[in-house]
Every structure is written in structure tokens, then in C-alpha cells.
Amino acid sequence: MKFYVPEWEDAVDARYDFVHDELSNLDKQERERHFIWDIFDYETTPIDGVLISREQVEDSQRKYDRVTEHGVYDDPQLTIPDWLPTISDCGAWGYKSLPFPRYGNDDMLEFYEALDVTVGVTIDHLVLGSGKEKGRLYLDKHAFHPDFTESDLPEELTEQVDIMVDEWPAEWPDLVERYDDSIYGVSAVKPFTHKDFEGSVQGVLQRMDRDPRAVYREDDKQDRYEMTLENAAEIRELYDNGDWSFHLMAAFQGWNPTTYGEALDEVLEMGYQYVGIGGVAGSQLKQVEEIVTEVGHRITEFESEHETRIDTHVFGFAKTDGFETVGRAQMSSIDSASMLRAAWTGGNNYHLNPDERFDAIRVRYPKPGDSLEIAVKKSMLGQEVLHALRAFDDEDSISRRTRGWYAEADLVLDALVDYLEEHRHDEIYDARLLRKITSEFRDDFEYGCELQASFSDDLRKQLVKLLRVDDADDPVDFDEYIEIINTGREVAEEFPRTADRVEALEEKSGEMATFKQVWTVLENYAVSDLVDDQNLLEGYRKTLRSRPWDRCDCPICEDLGIEVAIFRGNNRNRRRGFHNTYRFYQQFKRDLPKILIVAPADSSLFGRNTVEGYLTDMYGELWDAVHDIPVAEIGVLDANGVHEWWEPGPSSVSLDPSGISEELERKAGRYDTILYYDPDGEARFDIDSVEIVEDPQEVRGRTLERLGYDSDPVPSRDIQIQLGEF
């Protein structure tokens, strides 16, 4: 089974300066960005693939142009390695409040081809429930205006009808004409007036029925369900008549196990061998369990009847307590970003395992709108606690570290006055862009980074703004610089706030970096009027006493230590999200061991329509024994790699023995077990986790044993287990 992570621009600055909270380059385009696959190596990367939604790609025109020009594997920003498969979908969550998908089938095929993804997904429309008796009414947001807003809709209407308002596309795809030609090809809409919504609810709905600004459906759930299936049928025909480089997955929707099962039956009859369960993201696991169990039974029946294999993806699923059911129910892949997002939403945002989750310690930046004095004070409070936390992590003297920080900060302002007197009219400050001047200033002034860290980005920005307008022929009054600097001096007189108390504790105990010592600093910070986080202290106490980062073997924790457990900005928070994903993936592999079943290739694999056909012809007994096994991946091996069962035969086949051995050893780095089928007993491999098996039934037996499954693993339809979220 494979775990995919959605691609939502989750990148960090590869050379971020944690001590000074400085980006490596103020120009985003010039930074070296690291995604999760850049931070981990091949063997430890905690994902098996990347899900790329068109809605996300189109968030930025620059990104859209870039990835459609280069493809996701050659894109200079994404840097996705070619060994990670990619799935791309339309991003139905992004247009769930529109009456129709915003894309057409021809358009999506071309998009997937341009992206060069491994798998493209059919266009689906989320099946949304509604408790309103008269159905759902969609309204074009463009028709609202200051004199008639959503709040002006009559209460009688909103009580009886589910109203969904969104900005409709300037141009609907061609398929919309088939469903509602009244909104298709409309270049502009008239604004709504109160008269449009006068009268009875039924009268309003009748008027809206052919209105280019509205779509009304009495049974919207059924319409969305059928629309999803019709798109799957239409795009399948287009796909079969074209020459596409990607595999096509059918997304299907429903609102209970039966409707999901019936939708599955339809897409299987269309010829799909990779299907995706949509619309379950955010659902309770008990509901997901019932759906995947029904789907799993129908897939098992289909596989048995047709002697083939069906792979199934569950969109938006990441609940570890459900792995048992999902594995047994024949699911092949899942995706989620929930453990990544958890790093900066709510509490318990540092995950060690499902039973041990901790609050990251919030060290806050100044807020926009803070006065300069408040911004400086918040920065200095933050720096004092940050230096204390690092000393605690290093088991060093906290009082010495905080005094050392203050001594350096104290030097900054004196040095700044001297620097500005000498250099404020230098040519490097003639640029018009503040970003350019800021970069020059922080690089040229010896303490440019420390100035921002200790005295706030606000103070540095005010100085930079003066530098931009300060001209030798028309100089700024130097007192304006001094006034800004003096604000920093006045605040600095209050610091260091806790060094004496911590030093007394150090002398009394004869120990350094104890919990009591670091707690003195952190508590002083959290209860201060400018922070007011005393309600979080109990969580912080648990975090500091447990030191979970010391018990994690991920490269982020090993490299950064306590920084991963500090809630502060993208470059810490997203790295913590990568860490959470790694911890999730460790349990994913424990509960659903990564197993690969491979058979050797020969020259007849070349040019086959599918690898499945090759396995059926050359290793029929093996295929009969394993094609319906859940969780495990199945393919054929040559020196170019593993060709999965659903792929077309490769354009070349290499039988070089050393190359085959090297590729097998490489694959072994990412799998718990590789079962190499060798009916003739000729293979000679001495590779950890690679087992050579001659009997097809033994391959099946060993796989099920590794998974802890019996010979009939699919769970009973009436199983009801109360399961929790990761």
C-alpha cells in the first residue's frame, strides 16, 4: 500500500537561519526550497507518492505556467524525484460550492499530459448532503452587489433551500451546456434585485430555474452522483481513443456504502482498474470503514470473476486506527496532509506516536499594527526564551546563554549608530525596492541579522525606509535614526529579565539546564501581558519534561533538536509537519508492512499491452495466487526497475544480471519484504529483506502471514468498530 501526500506548496527555506529567524534570501524565487522529499533520503522519505490537484496548481499563474511547461518531474521548483509516483486530480473540494465542475474532460486529459504525472483522475463532483426540504440553489456571486448582498436573501428562502454562493467561472466547460444551457456561454450577468426574490419560495425557484445567474436542483445529491459517473464514462472514451502517457483512475462518489458500491460497479464495467473513493475526507472513521468494506467486497468479487486486479485509492484518509480495515478491504493507496497541517493547527502539534503528542512551545512574533516599542519588547522576550530553550536542549547554562545573548544585543545598537553615520549614503542604498535595500543592509552591517532578531523586523524596516529616502544631497535628519534606535535602547534596559533567578537556581543545585531553570524563563515569558499564554503552560510542562525530540530518529529532530518543538513561523512549523508525517509513516509501515511481489522479466515483456498480460501468460500460477492479495504491490523486475502490474510493457528490457541485482537491492531499501518469484530455482541474491520463493502458494501464504491476515482477509460487511483518529 502506498501513502501519498498532497502538494500544497509545503516547502521550507533550505538554509534558514534559526538563530536569527532570517530567510536565506528575501527574494522567494532565489531561495533554495526543500520539500519533504528533499529533506529525507531515498530510503527514509515518509511518503510513497505525491497528489497534485489542479485547484492548487492554479492558485498561482506563475506556478501553473511553470509546471505545465516543464512537467512535475522537471519543474525547477517542485524537484519531485522520478521514483515518486504522482497522482493528479481536479481538486473537487475547491469547487464544491459551484453547480458544476469548472473543468472539461478534454481539458483535464491535456492538463495531466502536460504535467507528466503517473496517474490522472476523472472529474468528480462532491456529493454534498443538505437538510433543506426544497433542495439546493446555486447563485453566481458576481450578481451580488452592495445594494443587494447575501444577507438580503429572504429568510423564508434560506430556511427552506440550501443556498450556495460562489464566483462562477468566466467560461464554463462544454459539458455544462448538456446539463444547463441557460448558464452556458453567458458573458455577463445582471445584478440581482430585491424583485428577483419576491413572492413565494416556489415562485422564486421557478424564476431561478432558467436564470443565467442561478442553478436550482431539487435532488442535488443524485445529480452530482450521476455527473461524476457520466464524466468517468466520457473521459474513458476519450482516453481510450488517444495516446496518453499516464494511467487513468476513476473517482466515484456516494452517500452511503450501497451508493458507493453501485458507483464502483459502474466504473469497473467501464474498464477501470484503478479507482478512487472520493468525498470521505473529514468523515468519521466508522463511516469510512463501512464504505471501504462494501467497496472491498465488490472488488474481491470482481477480481475473482475476471481474474484481474483492481487498485483502489481512498482520498483524504489518514486514520491509523483504520489501517486494519482499509488493508483487509483491498485498498491500495491513501493520501492526506492532516498530520502535516496538525503541526500548526490547534494543540498537540508535535507527534511522536498516536499515544504521545505534545504541544509545541509558542514563541510569538510581533503582530502587524503593534507599536515599535511593543514590537521590540515582544522580540526581546522571544529571544530570551529561545536562547534559554536552546541551552536547555544542549544541557548548557541557561543564565550564561541568556546573558551572552543580551551582551551581543547590547553591542548592536552602538555599532548601528557608528555604521549609519558612515554608510547611510552608500551607493548600495540607492535601490528603490525595500527588499533590495534590506538585503544589502543585513549583509553589509555586521549585526544586521541580530538587529532583526533581538529588536524586531519592524525596527529594521523603519531604518531601511529611512535609508531609501536618505540622500547625500538632501540628507535625512540623523535624529530620525536616533529616535528609532533609542526605542530599542529603552526596551533593552528591562533585559535580561530572568538571568539572575536562573543563575541562583544553578548555583543552588550545582546542575545546568534543569527543568526548573528553563521553566523559570518560559513561565515568565508565557504569563507576561504581551504574550498571555498561561493557559498553555500545562502542555509546555509535559513537552519539556518528556523531551520527545530526543526520542525521534528523523533527520529533522536529529539536526535541529528542540527547534522542531517550537511553534514559530513556517520554517519551524512545516519542518515539524514533515516530522509528524515521518512518525505517521512509521506506524503506517508497521501496521501495513510494505511488501513487493516481483517476477523476473524476459525479452517478451517488451511492447506488451500490459504487464498484467505478461504475468498471466508467463507466470499464470503466480498471478492466480496473488492477484487478489491486499496491501502488497505486484510487478515484474528487470535491470531498469520494477514495472507494476497495470503498466504497459516497457519500450526496452534489460536482463543485465548486475543491473537486476542493483535494482533489487535499491528497492529493498524501501520495502519491508520483497518476495522474488523464482520457479526454476536459479536466482542468486543475498540481499536483506529479499526472499526467493519457488512456489506461488508460498508467495501468497508468506504475504498474508506478514500482514497477519487469514486466507479470506476482507472484513465482514457488518463489522462495526469504534475507531479514532491519528
Side-chain angles (χ1 to χ4, degrees):
M1 185 176 287
K2 294 178 180 177
F3 169 64
Y4 287 73
V5 66
E7 192 285 299
W8 287 343
E9 285 293 305
D10 287 307
V12 295
D13 184 347
R15 294 189 298 277
Y16 187 74
D17 179 352
F18 288 90
V19 173
H20 299 107
D21 280 316
E22 283 277 16
L23 296 165
S24 60
N25 195 304
L26 297 183
D27 186 344
K28 183 178 179 180
Q29 302 305 314
E30 296 298 320
R31 275 177 235 146
E32 180 185 356
R33 300 196 307 164
H34 274 179
F35 292 84
I36 192 168
W37 48 81
D38 298 309
I39 288 179
F40 295 85
D41 61 24
Y42 169 78
E43 293 187 1
T44 61
T45 296
I47 61 172
D48 300 302
V50 185
L51 173 67
I52 302 167
S53 290
R54 183 165 183 172
E55 280 279 322
Q56 290 295 323
V57 171
E58 290 184 343
D59 268 356
S60 161
Q61 186 64 45
R62 176 182 287 179
K63 179 177 181 178
Y64 178 85
D65 293 342
R66 199 183 68 234
V67 298
T68 52
E69 177 184 355
H70 298 287
V72 296
Y73 291 105
D74 293 324
D75 178 69
Q77 293 288 326
L78 282 179
T79 64
I80 298 175
D82 58 11
W83 59 268
L84 276 177
T86 46
I87 297 174
S88 183
D89 66 3
C90 50
W93 279 101
Y95 56 77
K96 64 182 179 181
S97 56
L98 293 177
F100 302 101
R102 61 170 71 249
Y103 309 115
N105 290 308
D106 287 290
D107 181 37
M108 287 307 300
L109 289 173
E110 295 291 348
F111 177 77
Y112 295 149
E113 189 71 12
L115 260 61
D116 190 29
V117 291
T118 314
V119 176
V121 184
T122 60
I123 300 173
D124 61 337
H125 210 19
L126 294 177
V127 172
L128 302 174
S130 172
K132 301 299 177 72
E133 60 181 281
K134 290 189 177 294
R136 178 169 287 133
L137 176 65
Y138 296 90
L139 299 174
D140 186 356
K141 194 170 186 176
H142 293 108
F144 288 92
H145 52 94
D147 294 332
F148 190 88
T149 66
E150 293 177 49
S151 63
D152 292 312
L153 293 170
E155 186 175 338
E156 186 181 8
L157 178 68
T158 59
E159 286 179 348
Q160 297 184 48
V161 183
D162 184 14
I163 308 290
M164 302 197 81
V165 178
D166 202 346
E167 292 185 359
W168 292 6
E171 183 177 349
W172 287 106
D174 291 344
L175 61 87
V176 171
E177 185 178 17
R178 184 167 71 238
Y179 295 106
D180 192 333
D181 60 4
S182 69
I183 70 168
Y184 181 76
V186 177
S187 58
V189 294
K190 295 180 179 179
F192 284 129
T193 66
H194 289 275
K195 188 175 181 180
D196 291 317
F197 296 93
E198 290 178 352
S200 68
V201 170
Q202 195 58 41
V204 171
L205 295 178
Q206 287 176 354
R207 289 199 300 275
M208 291 290 138
D209 190 47
R210 297 293 297 170
D211 193 307
R213 303 164 296 182
V215 171
Y216 171 65
R217 296 190 190 123
E218 190 171 353
D219 191 355
D220 185 64
K221 183 168 60 176
Q222 184 68 32
D223 287 348
R224 284 169 170 257
Y225 178 83
E226 293 174 358
M227 201 180 303
T228 297
L229 292 173
E230 289 165 7
N231 276 320
E234 180 178 306
I235 201 171
R236 179 78 205 194
E237 183 176 352
L238 294 169
Y239 179 84
D240 288 344
N241 291 330
D243 181 19
W244 310 98
S245 63
F246 57 89
H247 192 36
L248 189 64
M249 177 200 295
F252 61 101
Q253 296 275 340
W255 56 90
N256 58 32
T258 300
T259 52
Y260 271 102
E262 291 170 350
L264 169 71
D265 290 344
E266 290 201 38
V267 296
L268 292 180
E269 289 302 319
M270 295 174 195
Y272 285 97
Q273 291 185 295
Y274 200 1
V275 296
I277 301 174
V280 298
S283 301
Q284 292 186 359
L285 190 53
K286 182 179 179 181
Q287 296 174 290
V288 180
E289 175 202 41
E290 292 170 351
I291 292 167
V292 299
T293 297
E294 178 65 26
V295 167
H297 273 277
R298 295 189 187 228
I299 285 175
T300 299
E301 293 165 4
F302 188 90
E303 289 176 333
S304 175
E305 181 182 349
H306 295 83
E307 296 183 346
T308 189
R309 182 175 176 86
I310 302 297
D311 283 345
T312 308
H313 184 87
V314 188
F315 285 98
F317 175 89
K319 299 176 181 178
T320 57
D321 284 346
F323 285 162
E324 174 75 9
T325 300
V326 166
R328 287 180 178 271
Q330 299 277 33
M331 303 301 104
S332 308
S333 53
I334 60 176
D335 76 85
S336 179
S338 63
M339 66 292 300
L340 184 66
R341 294 288 174 270
W344 58 86
T345 55
N348 288 331
N349 32 48
Y350 178 101
H351 298 176
L352 193 63
N353 55 57
D355 299 322
E356 290 188 281
R357 294 186 288 181
F358 302 88
D359 287 352
I361 298 165
R362 294 173 184 262
V363 183
R364 302 180 184 275
Y365 291 105
K367 294 179 181 178
D370 281 343
S371 68
L372 181 58
E373 179 184 356
I374 295 300
V376 173
K377 189 171 291 188
K378 284 182 178 179
S379 290
M380 297 201 78
L381 282 167
Q383 286 302 308
E384 184 169 18
V385 76
L386 284 170
H387 282 78
L389 290 170
R390 293 180 189 125
F392 172 73
D393 190 24
D394 296 338
E395 299 181 349
D396 193 9
S397 167
I398 293 172
S399 66
R400 185 167 59 246
R401 285 282 192 93
T402 54
R403 282 203 175 99
W405 153 71
Y406 179 76
E408 182 174 0
D410 198 37
L411 292 174
V412 170
L413 298 181
D414 288 337
L416 178 60
V417 173
D418 294 341
Y419 176 85
L420 290 172
E421 286 180 330
E422 182 177 354
H423 297 285
R424 62 184 175 132
H425 296 139
D426 285 1
E427 187 178 345
I428 58 174
Y429 300 128
D430 289 343
R432 295 196 56 81
L433 289 177
L434 280 174
R435 186 179 63 198
K436 176 67 173 174
I437 298 174
T438 303
S439 294
E440 295 288 357
F441 176 70
R442 75 174 192 172
D443 292 342
D444 196 58
F445 175 46
E446 181 182 2
Y447 301 106
C449 292
E450 182 60 44
L451 176 69
Q452 183 272 148
S454 291
F455 297 99
S456 82
D457 189 50
D458 297 59
L459 187 143
R460 191 172 70 180
K461 279 182 178 177
Q462 290 198 23
L463 293 174
V464 167
K465 287 178 181 178
L466 283 180
L467 286 170
R468 183 170 67 169
V469 299
D470 197 353
D471 185 86
D473 296 328
D474 185 18
V476 168
D477 188 336
F478 197 73
D479 284 345
E480 292 189 42
Y481 290 104
I482 296 299
E483 183 178 352
I484 295 170
I485 294 168
N486 282 344
T487 301
R489 290 191 193 279
E490 291 166 7
V491 173
E493 290 176 359
E494 303 176 22
F495 291 85
R497 292 160 55 108
T498 56
D500 290 344
R501 279 185 284 161
V502 173
E503 185 176 39
L505 291 171
E506 291 172 343
E507 291 175 351
K508 182 177 180 180
S509 67
E511 296 179 315
M512 301 294 181
T514 65
F515 169 79
K516 189 173 183 179
Q517 292 160 15
V518 74
W519 190 252
T520 299
V521 185
L522 181 57
E523 185 178 36
N524 178 271
Y525 172 79
V527 302
S528 65
D529 292 340
L530 295 182
V531 178
D532 193 23
D533 278 343
Q534 52 192 341
N535 61 312
L536 303 177
L537 283 172
E538 193 55 42
Y540 295 168
R541 186 188 303 274
K542 176 185 172 185
T543 302
L544 290 174
R545 286 196 180 279
S546 299
R547 300 177 64 103
W549 59 89
D550 285 342
R551 293 185 279 144
C552 179
D553 62 349
C554 83
I556 299 172
C557 289
E558 290 182 344
D559 181 38
L560 297 178
I562 199 172
E563 300 285 359
V564 188
I566 295 173
F567 194 115
R568 184 174 169 87
N570 173 72
N571 280 283
R572 288 183 183 83
N573 295 346
R574 269 200 168 83
R575 281 177 168 88
R576 186 169 56 257
F578 297 161
H579 151 88
N580 288 349
T581 304
Y582 173 83
R583 301 305 304 188
F584 169 86
Y585 193 74
Q586 300 314 298
Q587 181 165 354
F588 175 69
K589 291 200 302 177
R590 284 193 299 271
D591 292 353
L592 298 168
K594 296 193 67 61
I595 301 171
L596 175 65
I597 299 169
V598 290
D602 66 22
S603 58
S604 68
L605 178 63
F606 168 77
R608 289 266 186 169
N609 287 334
T610 64
V611 173
E612 179 185 10
Y614 172 83
L615 286 167
T616 302
D617 291 345
M618 303 301 295
Y619 303 106
E621 291 184 357
L622 175 68
W623 184 250
D624 290 344
V626 303
H627 75 266
D628 63 339
I629 289 183
V631 179
E633 299 167 34
I634 302 172
V636 173
L637 176 73
D638 76 347
N640 296 318
V642 173
H643 310 281
E644 293 193 60
W645 69 272
W646 51 265
E647 292 184 74
S651 57
S652 64
V653 177
S654 173
L655 304 180
D656 172 48
S658 62
I660 292 172
S661 180
E662 288 174 5
E663 189 59 34
L664 193 58
E665 187 165 11
R666 179 172 176 269
K667 282 289 183 184
R670 286 198 60 83
Y671 287 87
D672 301 297
T673 302
I674 295 180
L675 297 171
Y676 184 91
Y677 180 58
D678 179 33
D680 299 325
E682 297 177 350
R684 298 291 182 269
F685 299 116
D686 184 17
I687 301 171
D688 289 343
S689 79
V690 175
E691 302 176 19
I692 301 171
V693 187
E694 299 179 13
D695 179 71
Q697 290 302 319
E698 187 178 354
V699 175
R700 181 182 183 85
R702 289 196 191 185
T703 303
L704 293 175
E705 180 184 3
R706 299 289 191 280
L707 295 169
Y709 297 169
D710 51 31
S711 59
D712 184 20
V714 182
S716 171
R717 280 182 169 93
D718 61 358
I719 281 183
Q720 300 291 324
I721 304 173
Q722 184 61 46
L723 300 169
E725 292 189 4
F726 179 80

